[in-house]
Amino acid sequence: MSKVIIITGASRGIGRSMAEYLARQGNKIIANYNKSEEKAKELQEELKKENIEIDIFQADVSKREECQSLVKYTIDKYKKIDVLINNAGISVWGPFTDLKDEQIKEIIETNLYSAIAMSQEVSKYMIQEKSGCIINISSIWGLVGASCEVAYSITKAGIDGLTKGLAKELGPSNIRVNSIAPGLIDTEMISDFTKEEIKEIENQTPLGKIGKPLDIAKTAKWLIEDEFTTGQVISPNGGWIIT
Ligand code: NAP
């Protein structure tokens, strides 16, 4: 597999694991980061030791102009974009009635608007090529909702709506659009969970464990190689949530 792949939010966690895994499969990776420059450089250096070159690119993907810069950089250098993975995301925890306007706007812009803007910017080129694959990282909470994570649940359900509508619109251009809706994955995003809370979730999960970022990277690889799956929400979650 040798594809040009943009991954948003690839400095840490799931995005970083996807960048490492897909780069090791021979793909050209453009790893976007926002605030964690050191970590993005560390990722680039780590892969360089294996003779693997990746591009890192700073952009706040909640802003249209910065999405445009990321896409322009990729097109100028590689002339095409085969795969877009909309992964960048944040979470906000707290009772719904306590959410401040700024928090609501920030999470919608970071998790949902970014995926809309990036998909618009990239699909122009994919339509010309009559080929492409867009993967949106949503969440089980988009499927079933989470108490005290209502704003997060809204953004992730919105992402799944983007996946379904866009899959229908872009299918005739041979562009597949799917969501990956992970269960609990061991990254900084869940650093507020206590050991006891994680144990409890593992006990409720048929496979008896939470996920690792690599589990999601493997699902992404499968979706990139697949040729007949579009408009779907695939949920690697150990069986914790079965809909
Ligand atoms: P994480 O470890 O907190 O990493 C988040 C990544 O998103 C970082 O690389 C961060 O980049 C980037 N990011 C945040 N805001 C950004 C912006 N405005 N522009 C560009 N990049 C931005 O989180 P994670 O657990 O890997 O989560 C990755 C995705 O998976 C998210 O969409 C999340 O909602 C989803 N997810 C996670 C879980 C889980 O249990 N961990 C479960 C389901 C879904 P910088 O640090 O460089 O700013």
Side-chain angles (χ1 to χ4, degrees), residues 120-158:
Q120 277 189 317
E121 296 301 327
V122 164
S123 57
K124 292 174 198 164
Y125 297 98
M126 290 182 171
I127 290 167
Q128 278 170 18
E129 292 285 321
K130 280 212 160 288
S131 171
C133 169
I134 298 176
I135 298 174
N136 295 316
I137 306 298
S138 59
S139 163
I140 47 168
W141 303 137
L143 292 169
V144 299
S147 166
C148 291
E149 286 199 80
V150 175
Y152 183 81
S153 304
I154 292 167
T155 63
K156 296 305 187 177

